[in-house]
């Protein structure tokens, strides 16, 4: 049962996304590849102790810029190059383009100091993101508050389901105590705390720290990946709030009015009712002249990210749990009627309802994962809308399209991104490189040496 909760699934998802570092200070950037591009890998959970994961993304990207410049100098590379970012690497390559340009024009640096950045920026020919956390990880919205709320809701559903199963038992108190003592559970929060039973590495590093409300200094990389974080607004894109009104109904009211020269009467009037909406327009910090390509994953089955064995275990646990809830809801429902209504007073009807809710929750474990990701359209981890910046913005207040950025690579169907039916793990493969990354680099004028 302990593998049912979403937080357990999220922990398991983290494991196949692990990466290894190739440079000091958590730099996950490759050397120059034969296709004249460098690959920026994603966020590493397991290989690096959480105490060493206290470096903000701005510091990491700054070090990556210097690493690339030093490496280019060592191998005598003076040709045009591209940067490709996967997962968190997508966020970093976009910030890389912004920060490199900023350094190239930094008045606080000497002319000689600026020159190396200017040279590198002038040779930067393309930025490509692949399942990139380009706008941040939607699952972390509101500094984890949304995720905590959803997880507590799920914890309540699971715990109430366990209570409902036990309520159907003849040995109610003994059964419930035995189950909860075995799982070390007494509150919904305990269910989330049990993440350590799944992966102590992940638990003690990020997810558990976020759940406990860890300070920025403890988990800066996670806070920097929150949509609208200071890091994103300063180095990737800022947003402009656009509010507009739409008529959403009508309201009827009557007033006492004079009708004719001597008669007063109740007169009915109708007036429109309006609702105010808010949308956000992106203002990228990276240059609008820089060719950018987005490869967006859309296979939203989060459980696939856990690996076959873990996925099967989770689905089996969910199936077993739903079966127990199904049996318990039948028993509790029957007790309400066989006792001529006394069951309503003894809590069997409430237990019946809780079992139904928990059963449906377990049967829809995939949909529950999507709910945690913040969108039904995602790659199993990152919401689709967070994987790219649109070319245009439709302003509902004016009814006009406004340009966001135009130099989108491989934009064959006009959507502004390339859609791939792969999840967050499987998208990082040779077939995607051959079909999308290499043609994007060619389109940007970057050729294999």
């Amino acid at each position: 049962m302990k593998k049912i909760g979403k937080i357990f699934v999220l922990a398991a998802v983290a494991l196949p996304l692990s990466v290894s570092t190739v440079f000091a200070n958590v730099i996950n950037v490759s050397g120059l590849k034969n296709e004249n591009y460098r690959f920026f890998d994603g966020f590493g959970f397991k290989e690096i102790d959480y105490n060493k994961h206290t470096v903000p993304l701005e510091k990491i990207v700054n070090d990556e810029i210097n690493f690339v410049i030093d490496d280019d100098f060592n191998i005598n590379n003076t040709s045009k190059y591209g940067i490709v970012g996967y997962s968190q690497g997508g966020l970093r390559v976009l910030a890389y383009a912004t920060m490199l340009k900023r350094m190239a024009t930094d008045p606080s640096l000497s002319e000689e100091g600026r020159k190396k950045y200017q040279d590198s920026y002038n040779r930067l020919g393309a930025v490509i993101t692949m399942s990139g956390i380009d706008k941040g990880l939607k699952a972390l919205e509101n500094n984890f508050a949304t995720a905590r709320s959803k997880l507590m809701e799920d914890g309540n559903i699971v715990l109430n389901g366990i209570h409902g199963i036990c309520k159907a038992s003849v040995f109610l108190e003994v059964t419930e105590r035995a189950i909860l003592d075995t799982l070390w559970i007494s509150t919904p929060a305990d269910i989330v705390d049990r993440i350590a039973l799944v992966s102590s590495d992940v638990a003690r590093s990020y997810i558990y720290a976020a759940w406990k409300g860890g300070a920025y200094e403890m988990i800066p990389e996670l806070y920097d990946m929150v949509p609208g974080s200071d890091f994103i607004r300063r180095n990737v894109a800022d947003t402009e709030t656009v509010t507009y009104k739409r008529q959403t109904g009508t309201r009827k009211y009557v007033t006492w009015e004079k009708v004719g020269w001597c008669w007063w009467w109740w007169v009915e009037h109708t007036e429109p009712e309006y609702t105010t909406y808010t949308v956000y327009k992106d203002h990228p910090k990276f240059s609008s002249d820089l060719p950018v390509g987005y490869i967006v994953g859309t296979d939203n089955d989060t459980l696939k990210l856990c690996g076959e064995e873990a996925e099967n275990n989770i689905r089996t646990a969910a199936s077993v749990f739903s079966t127990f809830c199904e049996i318990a809801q039948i028993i509790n429902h029957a007790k309400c009627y066989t006792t001529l209504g006394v069951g309503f007073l003894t809590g069997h009807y409430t237990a019946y309802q809780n079992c139904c809710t928990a059963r449906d929750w377990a049967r829809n474990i995939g949909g529950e994962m999507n709910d945690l990701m913040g969108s039904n359209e995602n790659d199993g981890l990152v919401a689709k809308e967070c994987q790219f910046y649109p070319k245009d913005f439709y302003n509902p207040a004016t009814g006009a399209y406004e340009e966001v950025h135009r130099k989108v690579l491989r934009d064959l169907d006009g959507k502004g991104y390339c859609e791939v039916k792969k999840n967050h793990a499987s998208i990082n493969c040779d077939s995607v490189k051959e079909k999308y990354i290499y043609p994007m680099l060619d389109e940007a004028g970057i050729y294999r040496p």
Side-chain angles (χ1 to χ4, degrees):
M1 205 74 71
K2 65 191 177 186
K3 294 184 179 179
I4 290 180
K6 283 183 197 170
I7 191 70
F8 302 150
V9 176
L10 189 57
V13 166
L15 301 183
L17 305 182
S18 299
V19 292
S20 59
T21 55
V22 295
F23 199 68
N25 210 18
V26 203
I27 293 179
N28 301 314
V29 54
S30 75
L32 195 69
K33 293 181 176 290
N34 288 337
E35 295 77 17
N36 256 11
Y37 76 94
R38 294 176 183 274
F39 185 76
F40 288 61
D41 214 331
F43 178 84
F45 278 93
K46 197 171 183 181
E47 280 82 353
I48 306 166
D49 188 84
Y50 81 106
N51 286 321
K52 296 179 182 177
H53 254 322
T54 56
V55 183
L57 278 182
E58 192 161 312
K59 171 63 175 170
I60 292 174
V61 175
N62 181 77
D63 286 353
E64 288 177 332
I65 289 173
N66 287 300
F67 169 77
V68 170
I69 291 174
D70 290 345
D71 193 54
D72 277 346
F73 177 81
N74 291 334
I75 63 176
N76 196 29
N77 176 52
T78 58
S79 61
K80 201 173 183 181
Y81 71 99
I83 49 178
V84 180
Y86 160 65
S87 189
Q88 187 210 64
L91 179 62
R92 299 201 320 273
V93 292
L94 293 173
Y96 178 106
T98 301
M99 293 172 61
L100 181 59
K101 183 180 180 181
R102 187 183 299 149
M103 293 173 179
T105 57
D106 187 351
S108 67
L109 298 177
S110 65
E111 183 176 348
E112 183 180 354
R114 289 193 301 270
K115 188 178 184 308
K116 68 174 184 178
Y117 297 115
Q118 291 169 351
D119 175 66
S120 185
Y121 183 75
N122 291 337
R123 292 188 294 107
L124 179 60
V127 175
I128 301 170
T129 74
M130 180 171 57
S131 269
I133 307 176
D134 299 355
K135 291 187 178 182
L137 195 57
K138 197 167 185 178
L140 304 180
E141 277 186 318
N142 302 314
N143 285 342
F144 320 113
T146 301
R148 284 195 205 100
S149 176
K150 290 178 180 177
L151 290 169
M152 282 296 291
E153 180 183 345
D154 291 335
N156 267 307
I157 291 173
V158 173
L159 187 59
N160 287 337
I162 294 173
H163 288 319
I165 292 171
C166 296
K167 190 75 173 176
S169 169
V170 176
F171 307 102
L172 169 63
E173 187 173 343
V174 175
T175 302
E176 183 166 342
R177 196 66 268 150
I179 292 175
L180 296 181
D181 284 350
T182 299
L183 299 178
W184 307 342
I185 291 173
S186 59
T187 68
D190 290 336
I191 292 177
V192 182
D193 284 346
R194 295 290 74 77
I195 181 178
L197 299 177
V198 179
S199 173
S200 59
D201 290 319
V202 177
R204 74 169 180 268
S205 55
Y206 292 97
I207 299 171
Y208 194 71
W211 167 249
K212 290 295 187 181
Y216 178 86
E217 293 73 20
M218 179 186 294
I219 45 175
E221 282 189 66
L222 275 188
Y223 278 106
D224 285 342
M225 288 192 286
V226 170
S229 68
D230 288 342
F231 172 79
I232 291 176
R233 288 189 289 106
R234 186 167 54 250
N235 300 300
V236 183
D238 205 349
T239 55
E240 172 190 350
T241 301
V242 177
T243 58
Y244 64 100
K245 291 183 178 180
R246 287 287 183 269
Q247 184 177 342
T248 53
T250 57
R251 182 177 75 91
K252 292 184 178 181
Y253 64 97
V254 293
T255 58
W256 183 254
E257 297 181 11
K258 184 178 181 181
V259 180
W261 65 275
C262 64
W263 294 97
W264 291 79
W265 201 253
W266 287 105
V267 179
E268 184 178 272
H269 297 273
T270 301
E271 68 176 14
E273 287 188 324
Y274 295 90
T275 300
T276 300
Y277 297 93
T278 301
V279 292
Y280 300 93
K281 179 182 178 181
D282 299 304
H283 291 282
K285 298 290 186 178
F286 49 89
S287 173
S288 59
D289 295 325
L290 183 66
V292 180
Y294 304 103
I295 303 170
V296 174
T298 58
D299 184 351
N300 64 0
D301 191 343
T302 301
L303 294 181
K304 288 182 181 177
L305 298 181
C306 304
E308 186 175 353
E309 182 179 356
E311 178 186 355
N312 290 337
N313 289 339
I314 292 168
R315 292 193 188 279
T316 300
S319 177
V320 170
F321 183 60
S322 68
T323 299
F324 273 104
C325 288
E326 175 73 12
I327 296 170
Q329 66 95 7
I330 294 173
I331 295 173
N332 284 311
H333 204 210
K335 285 185 176 182
C336 289
Y337 292 98
T338 56
T339 57
L340 301 178
V342 175
F344 285 87
L345 301 177
T346 57
H348 283 288
Y349 187 74
T350 299
Y352 154 74
Q353 290 180 311
N354 289 337
C355 285
C356 290
T357 301
R359 174 203 61 194
D360 294 342
W361 180 91
R363 287 178 177 176
N364 186 39
I365 192 71
E368 297 298 332
M369 295 306 102
N370 284 332
D371 183 53
L372 182 60
M373 300 311 150
S375 172
N376 287 328
E377 291 188 291
N378 59 70
D379 66 356
L381 181 64
V382 188
K384 178 180 176 180
E385 62 265 35
C386 291
Q387 297 181 48
F388 69 98
Y389 284 94
K391 296 188 304 180
D392 301 298
F393 168 74
Y394 174 72
N395 191 329
T398 63
Y401 283 91
E402 300 172 5
E403 183 176 306
V404 176
H405 71 118
R406 302 299 303 179
K407 286 201 172 184
V408 178
L409 297 169
R410 201 70 177 165
D411 186 25
L412 302 180
D413 55 12
K415 292 191 297 186
Y417 57 88
C418 295
E419 191 169 318
V420 184
K421 189 63 177 177
K422 290 184 178 293
N423 64 33
H424 195 74
S426 64
I427 199 171
N428 186 17
C429 64
D430 290 338
S431 63
V432 170
K433 294 175 184 176
E434 292 287 346
K435 188 174 181 179
Y436 298 101
I437 292 179
Y438 299 159
M440 285 181 177
L441 292 171
D442 288 341
E443 185 180 332
I446 299 172
Y447 303 100
R448 303 185 185 191

